[in-house]
């Protein structure tokens, strides 16, 4: 599953990306998180982007594209990914398409979260994060039960991100309108854009997303019996797929390849048995035929020998 989430800051992409990552077992790759981590670890990258981020402006395309690509190439992204906050400009989207093209793993969907701009502002300005465990709250929509105290870890450090302050929020919304909103047209032109109503209960929104994902990306998998153990060999998976029951082994690219191979074989009208098994069966039949032939020859030889012996006896008796 290879998806990007689009939408204004505060539209709920991050929250939904986490839920999607949990359900579909793919990593959530958040460009904002990657950069914030670099800032908090004081890496070279962090030092370069810290002040830009605090102002609410966008980091340069090259820097962020390289950081995200590194994650896309990692092992954990083999099964797919949910990209959150990237791409944010047309050049980033073009770079993403190019790099995924090199990896032969094109993007499948762009989910756009539509939301009333007034709600967007309130969501961003009201956002609070626990400095200890990362749990998120919103002053207006989802405050913690006890004011100023994290419900998850009890910490009293509920903080506002520097770029969620008034002046930075304005800059981020401007950057969104100017640089990111054109991506809606970009992905629509590729027929990859799907719109999700971003207002309402978190679980309701998640349900809408899953409906889209399950019908658009995983049509094959609606017939799927997921094998959770992952112990079956690949040829077993092929047998089951070609035998009518479609089995998805969650092995990412390998699985896509396997499903593709079986589909091609079925389209070509090949026998539904995997090549390996077919060859083995042929060998067994051949072996049996040879054994039969040898046994027959032995019987004929024995009979001839017995006949000869009987004839000799008769000659001896007569003489
Ligand atoms: P976010 O958490 O996605 O709102 O991102 C926080 C900040 O990180 C943004 O305001 C930008 O300064 C920077 N940032 C994150 N993603 C990108 C991106 N794709 N392109 C440029 N800057 C980004």
């Amino acid at each position: 599953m290879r998806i990007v989430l689009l939408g204004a800051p505060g539209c709920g992409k991050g929250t939904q990306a986490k839920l999607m990552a949990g359900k579909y077992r793919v990593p959530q790759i958040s460009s904002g998180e990657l950069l914030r981590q670099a800032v908090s670890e004081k890496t070279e990258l962090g030092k370069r982007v810290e002040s830009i981020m605090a102002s609410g402006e966008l980091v340069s395309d090259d820097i962020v594209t390289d950081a995200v690509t590194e994650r896309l190439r990692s092992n954990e992204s083999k099964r797919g990914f949910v990209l959150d906050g990237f791409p944010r400009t047309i050049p980033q989207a073009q770079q993403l398409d190019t790099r995924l093209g090199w990896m032969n793993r094109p993007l499948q969907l762009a989910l756009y979260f539509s939301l009333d701009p007034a709600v967007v502002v309130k969501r961003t300005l009201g956002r609070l994060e626990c400095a200890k465990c990362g749990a998120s709250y919103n002053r207006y929509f989802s405050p913690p039960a006890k004011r100023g105290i994290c419900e998850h870890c009890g910490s009293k450090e509920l903080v506002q991100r520097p770029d969620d302050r008034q002046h930075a929020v304005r800059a981020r919304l401007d950057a969104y309108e100017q640089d990111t909103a054109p991506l809606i047209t970009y992905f629509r032109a590729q027929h990859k854009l799907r719109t999700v109503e971003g207002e309402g209960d978190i679980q309701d929104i998640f349900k809408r997303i899953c409906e889209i994902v399950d019908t658009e990306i995983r049509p094959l998998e609606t017939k799927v019996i997921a094998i959770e153990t992952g112990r079956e060999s690949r040829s077993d998976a092929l047998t089951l797929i070609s035998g009518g029951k479609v089995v998805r082994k969650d092995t990412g690219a390998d699985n896509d390849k396997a499903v593709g191979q079986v589909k091609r074989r079925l389209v070509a009208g090949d026998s539904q048995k995997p090549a390996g098994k077919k060859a083995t069966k042929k060998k067994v039949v051949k072996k049996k035929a040879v054994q039969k032939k040898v046994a027959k020859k032995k019987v004929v030889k024995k009979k001839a020998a017995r006949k000869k012996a009987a004839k000799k006896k008769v000659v001896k008796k007569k003489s």
Side-chain angles (χ1 to χ4, degrees), residues 57-77:
E57 312 236 317
L58 291 185
V59 169
S60 91
D61 288 336
D62 289 346
I63 290 180
V64 75
T65 304
D66 285 346
V68 169
T69 307
E70 203 183 307
R71 289 291 302 277
L72 291 174
R73 286 217 182 94
S74 71
N75 254 351
E76 62 159 357
S77 303

Side-chain angles (χ1 to χ4, degrees), residues 310-319:
K311 224 175 179 178
K312 262 188 183 173
K313 260 186 188 174
V314 172
V315 173
K316 257 187 182 173
K317 257 187 186 173
K318 274 187 181 172
S319 60

Side-chain angles (χ1 to χ4, degrees), residues 9 31-33 35-36 52-53 56-59 64 85-88 92 127 161 163 172:
S31 49
E33 281 298 328
L35 298 173
R36 270 189 292 281
I52 306 172
M53 288 177 74
E57 312 236 317
L58 291 185
V59 169
V64 75
F86 183 92
R88 242 173 163 108
Q92 286 179 21
R127 194 152 53 183
R161 267 168 43 180
D163 60 348
R172 287 166 71 202

Side-chain angles (χ1 to χ4, degrees), residues 122-128 136-144:
K122 250 182 147 179
R123 277 205 192 168
T124 330
L125 287 175
R127 194 152 53 183
L128 290 171
S136 46
Y137 301 92
N138 192 290
R139 222 177 257 142
Y140 307 109
F141 302 108
S142 53

Side-chain angles (χ1 to χ4, degrees), residues 44 53 72 74 76 104 123 127 171 173 187 195 217 244-245 281:
E44 268 313 305
M53 288 177 74
L72 291 174
S74 71
E76 62 159 357
N104 207 12
R123 277 205 192 168
R127 194 152 53 183
L173 291 176
F187 286 117
T195 303
I217 294 193
K245 281 181 187 174
K281 203 172 175 186

Side-chain angles (χ1 to χ4, degrees), residues 2 4 87 90 92-98 100 106-110 182-194 216:
R2 300 176 295 275
V4 304
I90 297 276
Q92 286 179 21
Q94 288 168 329
Q95 272 300 318
L96 178 68
D97 278 344
T98 307
L100 288 177
L107 209 60
Q108 293 167 304
L109 271 191
L183 289 178
I184 297 169
T185 313
Y186 179 89
F187 286 117
R188 187 176 286 130
Q190 294 188 349
H191 306 289
K192 288 180 181 169
L193 190 84
R194 302 292 178 275
E216 300 276 339

